């Protein structure tokens, strides 16, 4: 009787590790293919822009694979990234920090003219900082209900042209400094811990507060 090892498919944002000449651990992903499927509906003024929520999931996935801790701190979003303008993205993890960059590369060669898009610190997840919210109580503190379609129309008017994959809000409430929402149930997370569309839409609800 033989035992076959169980293999998990690579994360779309951390597809393969690369050799490094220093102490960093580098995870590289092709911009086309699996990665683009996860972000293709996040459009700004007609271009597919990698969502800020995607950087957080990328850093978490790379840090987990490098056993560097999955808690993110002091995250800075440095410059936007038009997905069609680059060949690859990579996340470098070293000395308790991460850096997401993009560029053009052949094989395992270093990125040519790499641009840094996001950086921050990493720490072990202590698991004691989470806070559970009672949705009904939070919703009760909101001044009014909002139409999700109207919210997306407002975003569209200023150039945030979310496609169907990034329109996950079903119901939303806001006002009085408080906002709450209900998202569509997700049937497939595509290997992510938190799908970037879900986190992106949750952050968008802040506009109603």
């Amino acid at each position: 009787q033989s035992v076959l090892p169980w293999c998990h498919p690579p994360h779309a944002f951390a597809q393969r590790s690369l050799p490094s000449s220093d102490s960093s651990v580098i995870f590289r992903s092709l911009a086309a293919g699996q990665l683009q499927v996860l972000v293709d509906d996040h459009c700004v003024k007609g271009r597919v822009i990698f969502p800020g929520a995607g950087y957080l999931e990328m850093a978490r996935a790379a840090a987990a694979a490098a056993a560097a801790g999955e808690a993110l701190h002091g995250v800075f979003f440095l410059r936007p990234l038009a997905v069609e303008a680059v060949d690859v993205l990579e996340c470098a993890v070293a000395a308790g920090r991460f850096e997401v960059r993009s560029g053009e590369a052949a094989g395992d060669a270093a990125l040519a003219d790499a641009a840094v898009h996001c950086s921050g610190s990493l720490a072990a997840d202590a698991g004691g900082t989470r806070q559970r919210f009672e949705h009904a109580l939070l919703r009760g503190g909101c001044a009014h209900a909002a139409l999700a379609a109207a919210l997306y129309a407002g975003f569209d008017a200023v150039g945030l042209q979310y496609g169907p994959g990034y329109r996950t809000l079903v119901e939303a409430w806001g006002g009085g400094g408080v906002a709450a929402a209900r998202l569509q149930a997700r049937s497939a997370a595509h290997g992510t811990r938190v799908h970037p569309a879900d986190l992106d839409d949750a952050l968008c609800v802040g506009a109603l507060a």
Side-chain angles (χ1 to χ4, degrees):
Q1 184 177 4
S2 61
V3 178
L4 299 177
W6 181 262
C7 295
H8 295 283
H11 194 291
F13 292 163
Q15 294 172 14
R16 69 188 186 99
S17 60
L18 296 180
S20 173
S21 58
D22 54 25
S23 59
S24 64
V25 182
I26 299 174
F27 294 89
R28 181 174 290 179
S29 301
L30 296 176
Q34 288 180 301
L35 184 148
Q36 188 155 7
V37 168
L38 286 176
V39 303
D40 210 30
D41 280 338
H42 188 269
C43 298
V44 178
K45 296 184 178 180
R47 304 186 75 185
V48 177
I49 301 297
F50 196 81
Y55 294 123
L56 302 181
E57 174 63 16
M58 178 180 287
R60 185 212 60 78
E70 298 182 55
L72 310 181
H73 301 274
V75 176
F76 291 89
F77 300 98
L78 303 173
R79 61 189 297 177
L81 166 63
V83 176
E84 73 274 12
V86 300
D87 292 334
V88 297
L89 281 77
E90 64 181 30
C91 185
V93 176
R97 293 193 56 79
F98 74 88
E99 185 176 270
V100 179
R101 54 205 183 205
S102 69
E104 300 178 4
D108 292 340
L111 290 179
D113 299 323
V116 179
H117 301 279
C118 181
S119 66
S121 300
L122 298 166
D125 187 354
T129 59
R130 295 179 178 86
Q131 184 176 357
R132 181 178 179 83
F133 290 95
E134 291 297 334
H135 192 272
L137 293 176
L138 188 62
R139 186 178 63 191
C142 298
H144 58 82
L147 292 175
L151 186 63
Y152 287 122
F155 290 147
D156 190 78
V158 296
L160 304 177
Q161 301 139 340
Y162 294 135
Y166 275 71
R167 291 176 176 244
T168 68
L169 292 174
V170 176
E171 295 178 285
W173 302 265
V178 181
R182 185 165 65 88
L183 305 181
Q184 293 175 358
R186 181 166 296 283
S187 59
H190 301 285
T192 60
R193 177 75 60 82
V194 179
H195 194 288
D198 293 341
L199 180 54
D200 188 271
D201 263 344
L203 296 173
C204 286
V205 176
L208 299 175

